[in-house]
Amino acid sequence: MKGVIKILVNICRLLLALTFIFSGYVKAIDPIGTQYKIQDYLEAVGMVGVVPDWITLSTSIFLSAVEFAVGICMFFAIRRRIVARITFCFMLVMTSITLWLVIANPIKDCGCFGDAIHLTNTQTLLKNVILLVFSAILLKWPRYMIRFISNTNQWIAVNYTIIFIVASSIYCLYDLPMFDFRPYHVGASIPEGMKIPEGAKQPKFETTFILEKNGERKEFSIDNYPDSTWTFIDSKTVQTEEGFVPAIHDFSIENQQTGDDLTQQILENKGYTFLLIAPYVEQADDSNFGDIDQIYEYAQEKGYPFYCLTASNQKGINKWKDLTGAEYPFYTTDATTLKTIIRSNPGLLLLKNGIVLQKWSHNKLPKFDVATTPVLEKTEYGKLPSDNIPAKILRILLGFILPLLLLSIADRMWAWTKWVKRKENSNKIYQLFKRKENEKENCSR
C-alpha cells in the first residue's frame, strides 16, 4: 500500500510542479502582460483606478516569481511540508476565483498561462479542481515525495531560482518578452492573421423586437413579428453562438482628423514601414525621443513610411509633440490592440509586406544614421532575425536547468559518499567490538 501511495504522490507532485513552473515562467517573462490581466481583475471588482500601476506591476513580478519558485521546490522536493501547504492554499484560492469567473463571467480568459495558452473559464475551473485534488494528496503525504537535493544544499537551489526568475522579469521589462506568444510576434503576417477562411463558422445573433398596442408592450422575434397594428418601440440583439474569430480581429489604423481608414494602405505596402507604437503618448517614456527622431529622419531620407499609432486624443498628441519636437504623423488605433502588439510604450515595429520583421523596446532602439547607415536591405535590421525559439530554449537549458541538474547530481553523489563513510565507520566499530569480545573470550580461557 505504501508503494502505491508513494507512486501516486510523486506523479501528482511532478504534474503540479511542471504546471506551476510553466505558468510562472510564461507570466514572469511578460510582466506587463500579467499586469494588464491583474488590472482586468481590478476592473471587474470596481477597483481599476484605486491601485497604482507600480503596485500592480510589482504584484505581477512577485506572483509569477512565487509560482515559479514553488514549482521548482515541488519538483526537487525542497521543504516538502511547507511547499505542500503553500501549494494547497494557492490552489484553493485559485479554484475559488475561477468558480467566481464561471458564475459571473467578468473576464473571458483567467490568464493563468499568460498568452501562451488560452482556456475558457470552465476549462480553467476543471483544471484547477484536478490540481486542487493533487495538492490535497501532497498535503496528506508530503514525506512520500522523493527528494532530489538534500536539506543541506536546498538553499542553493531556492536562492538561484528566485534570482533567475526575478532577473528574467526585470530583463523582459527593460527589453521585450523573450518568447512572444501574441499574434504580432516577429515573423507574423498581420494580413494573414486577419483572414477568415472560407466555410468558417459564422456567429449567430437573435433580435428581439419590443412593440406596443393599446398600452400593452410585448417582445417578439423575427418569426412571430405581429401585424402593422402594433407600434415599434425598441429592439435588442444578442449573440447566441460564437463564430470563427481570426487571431488578429481588431487591428485598424484611422486618421483621427479625417476619419479615413488607412489599414490596408499601410499593410499592403510592398516595402518597409516603421510603426511607432504608443498606446497613450501622455504616459509614454520620453527618455529616448532623440533616437526616435533620428530613426524618423533616416526613414524620411531613405523613403520609408513612418507612422505613430496611438489611442491618445489630439490634446495628448500635441503635448508629446511639444515635449519631443516630433514631426512624424499620428494615427489612431485601439489601445488594447497597441498594448497587445508590443510590451513597450513607446515601442517600434518594422514591417515589410505586412510581416513583422523587427520589434524594439524604447530602451533598445536601433542606431540609424542618415549619413552612414545603408538602405535596410543591406542591414541586419531588414531581415528576419536568426535568433529563433530553439536557440532561446537552449540558452535557458544551459543557463538555469543545467546548473540545477548538476547541483542535484553533485548533491546525490555527496550524499552517497556520506552514506558509504557512515557504513564504513559502522563496520569499523562493529569489527572493533567483535575484536574486544574475542579478546575477552581468549583471556577467560
Side-chain angles (χ1 to χ4, degrees), residues 1-11 137 141 144:
M1 187 62 182
K2 285 185 177 180
V4 175
I5 294 175
K6 195 171 187 178
I7 293 172
L8 177 63
V9 166
N10 283 282
I11 290 174
I137 292 173
W141 297 292
Y144 283 92

Side-chain angles (χ1 to χ4, degrees), residues 37-203:
K37 184 56 63 177
I38 292 173
Q39 290 172 342
D40 288 343
Y41 279 97
L42 292 175
E43 185 177 1
V45 296
M47 295 180 61
V48 68
V50 178
V51 183
D53 289 345
W54 70 269
I55 292 182
T56 56
L57 183 58
S58 301
T59 304
S60 162
I61 296 173
F62 174 76
L63 288 178
S64 56
V66 168
E67 191 173 0
F68 182 81
V70 168
I72 293 295
C73 289
M74 205 183 313
F75 184 84
F76 287 97
I78 296 172
R79 303 298 180 193
R80 292 174 292 186
R81 287 184 176 179
I82 295 175
V83 169
R85 292 169 187 166
I86 292 174
T87 304
F88 180 77
C89 293
F90 185 89
M91 289 312 309
L92 195 61
V93 172
M94 289 298 106
T95 305
S96 302
I97 291 175
T98 49
L99 180 62
W100 167 64
L101 292 179
V102 169
I103 296 172
N105 197 32
I107 301 171
K108 289 187 176 181
D109 178 20
C110 72
C112 53
F113 294 120
D115 287 302
I117 300 175
H118 294 280
L119 299 176
T120 65
N121 291 333
T122 303
Q123 291 170 336
T124 302
L125 179 61
L126 179 61
K127 178 217 26 138
N128 284 348
V129 168
I130 294 172
L131 296 181
L132 180 61
V133 173
F134 289 174
S135 64
I137 292 173
L138 298 188
L139 186 66
K140 176 71 174 175
W141 297 292
R143 289 288 189 178
Y144 283 92
M145 285 190 277
I146 300 172
R147 286 190 304 200
F148 294 157
I149 298 178
S150 62
N151 284 330
T152 308
N153 296 318
Q154 286 179 357
W155 68 272
I156 301 175
V158 173
N159 290 339
Y160 183 65
T161 297
I162 294 173
I163 292 171
F164 169 80
I165 199 63
V166 172
S168 296
S169 290
I170 294 173
Y171 174 80
C172 293
L173 187 62
Y174 177 80
D175 189 6
L176 294 174
M178 295 182 204
F179 298 96
D180 192 347
F181 301 104
R182 287 157 287 140
Y184 301 93
H185 60 83
V186 172
S189 171
I190 297 178
E192 288 295 322
M194 297 172 68
K195 285 184 178 179
I196 299 178
E198 292 185 12
K201 183 180 178 181
Q202 298 296 317

Side-chain angles (χ1 to χ4, degrees), residues 7 121 163 218 237 262 274 322 411:
I7 293 172
N121 291 333
I163 292 171
K218 285 187 176 182
T237 302
L262 305 174
F274 285 99
D322 294 339
D411 178 83

Side-chain angles (χ1 to χ4, degrees), residues 29 59 85 115 199 259 273 309 319 370 412 417 430 438 445:
I29 61 171
T59 304
R85 292 169 187 166
D115 287 302
T273 302
L309 307 185
K319 183 179 179 181
V370 175
R412 293 298 86 196
T417 303
Y430 176 75
N438 292 334
R445 290 177 185 175

Side-chain angles (χ1 to χ4, degrees), residues 414-432:
W414 176 72
W416 178 77
T417 303
K418 285 183 65 178
W419 179 83
V420 170
K421 287 182 178 180
R422 284 199 304 268
K423 200 73 173 175
E424 289 177 350
N425 291 334
S426 64
N427 288 336
K428 288 178 181 178
I429 294 172
Y430 176 75
Q431 293 297 332
L432 181 61

Side-chain angles (χ1 to χ4, degrees), residues 274-276 295 306 342 346-350 358-360 365-366:
F274 285 99
L275 296 181
L276 182 66
I295 295 170
F306 188 109
I342 191 168
L348 185 66
L349 258 68
L350 178 62
Q358 303 281 351
K359 296 173 77 170
W360 296 284
L365 291 170

